[in-house]
Amino acid sequence: MVTGGAGFIGSHLVERLLDEGHHVVCVDTFDDYYSGKEVNIGSIAEHPSFELQRTNILDYDALLASFNGAEVVFHQAAQPGVRVSIVNPFKTYSTNVNGTLNVLLASRDSDVKKVVYASSSSVYGNGVPMPTHEDCETKPISPYGVSKLATEHYCRVFGELYGMKIVALRYFTVFGPRQRPDMAIRKFVRLMESGQPVNIYGDGEQTRDFTFISDAIEANILAMGSSGADGEAVNIGGGSSVTVNQVVHKIRANYPESPEPIYQEVQQGDVDHTLSDNSKARELLGWKPAVSFDQGLKEFIDWYRSNIQGKAIGD
Ligand SMILES: NC(=O)c1ccc[n+]([C@@H]2O[C@H](COP(=O)([O-])OP(=O)(O)OC[C@H]3O[C@@H](n4cnc5c(N)ncnc54)[C@H](O)[C@@H]3O)[C@@H](O)[C@H]2O)c1
């Protein structure tokens, strides 16, 4: 089962699981945070091993019924996004905390063998050493980060209370084809495609560790197949340290006519820097990133250009 299986990361995971011969139940409400998710699963909708359940993870009974013998649950469904969590912290809390509790309870009550939980680098906050190891202090600076940290604790406690095998993967900014429209790379490309200037919040010298989508998916597959990281939270980061100014510069190389970026005030809730120490993922999961930032960016732009023509994506 993949909760949030019609979303950016979830839809890639569903595809990979189907490719590997699994039967996959996708649970998704097609939340209105952004549109176009039907397209994400368009190519697999008719696959004989694919089952779509439009179940809300906030409805325990419906969720339990959707499990349908699932052995492994990849819990991706969430209200993502730092900014929206500042505007509407209750929605973030409800979907991410209450929803995850339902997923954990339904997994327990269905004797699921493994839960792989989508956590986030947002659990760390500012001021942690770079690269950041999992043992560093977790002091989130957004309601979103708080929700992800709270649910990580629930995952650990459910493992201890009920003997469940649960792994939390702390993704660092995932990007690639089908990236959410609210995320920076996609926003920048969309604006440059239409000849508009991009907005950079702050001086643009904040850095991000970007993780290409196929690397994030590989971490999920490894977590399903090994017991090494059960009960643990593990960083999954591509290993790049790229400033926002560099990201804009690299994208502009593809759009030489595009106007200069506009600098705006720093946004609340955004951390200054992220960079993962991946040693735990290497050791416990045998995972390492395979796609560089530049390679991934090229793939993203190619995807965007070939899909925007027929407006197949929700921009
Ligand atoms: N994209 C990233 O860079 C990133 C980084 C860190 C963590 N994460 C986490 O990874 C997961 C996937 O993120 P994404 O970027 O693919 O987001 P996404 O918004 O594309 O996917 C989330 C999916 O969950 C579904 N959903 C929302 N509320 C639901 C509900 N109540 N019941 C059922 N389905 C519901 C949405 O419709 C959507 O398809 C999330 O848990 C997110 O917090 C993402």
Side-chain angles (χ1 to χ4, degrees), residues 40-262:
N40 290 346
I41 53 166
S43 67
I44 44 157
E46 303 302 323
H47 193 293
S49 297
F50 177 70
E51 201 182 314
L52 175 62
Q53 303 265 358
R54 291 177 178 262
T55 309
N56 193 326
I57 58 167
L58 293 171
D59 180 343
Y60 171 81
D61 292 332
L63 184 62
L64 189 66
S66 295
F67 268 63
N68 195 15
E71 291 179 15
V72 179
V73 173
F74 296 93
H75 177 35
Q76 310 294 311
Q79 173 56 61
V82 162
R83 282 172 205 147
V84 69
S85 81
I86 294 172
V87 176
N88 189 353
F90 276 115
K91 185 176 180 203
T92 298
Y93 176 85
S94 169
T95 307
N96 298 3
V97 180
N98 294 342
T100 299
L101 267 175
N102 275 335
V103 170
L104 290 174
L105 287 166
S107 300
R108 180 197 67 184
D109 298 343
S110 309
D111 293 326
V112 161
K113 294 190 173 64
K114 176 79 133 235
V115 178
V116 184
Y117 171 60
S119 187
S120 166
S121 58
S122 302
V123 299
Y124 291 117
N126 277 327
V128 282
M130 298 286 141
T132 307
H133 190 271
E134 291 84 346
D135 291 342
C136 290
E137 185 186 25
T138 43
K139 200 173 174 191
I141 60 164
S142 66
Y144 170 71
V146 172
S147 76
K148 287 286 163 181
L149 183 57
T151 38
E152 267 193 13
H153 283 298
Y154 280 117
C155 288
R156 178 182 53 76
V157 166
F158 268 59
E160 288 165 9
L161 285 176
Y162 307 116
M164 295 169 68
K165 297 184 188 324
I166 308 174
V167 184
L169 301 178
R170 289 179 180 165
Y171 302 147
F172 284 64
T173 318
V174 185
F175 75 112
R178 302 187 207 136
Q179 191 188 33
R180 295 196 326 260
D182 62 320
M183 296 186 76
I185 292 178
R186 181 152 171 185
K187 275 207 290 204
F188 292 160
V189 171
R190 178 173 65 236
L191 287 165
M192 288 190 209
E193 273 286 340
S194 57
Q196 296 176 66
V198 305
N199 294 319
I200 295 180
Y201 300 113
D203 64 3
E205 286 307 296
Q206 58 274 49
T207 53
R208 287 291 174 273
D209 185 348
F210 290 99
T211 312
F212 193 63
I213 182 67
S214 56
D215 285 329
I217 299 308
E218 183 65 19
N220 278 273
I221 300 298
L222 289 167
M224 168 171 68
S226 76
S227 54
D230 292 349
E232 301 286 338
V234 183
N235 288 344
I236 300 298
S240 61
S241 178
V242 189
T243 67
V244 174
N245 285 328
Q246 286 168 333
V247 172
V248 170
H249 180 76
K250 284 170 190 280
I251 299 175
R252 275 186 94 202
N254 297 271
Y255 302 94
E257 308 292 313
S258 68
E260 289 290 328
I262 297 169

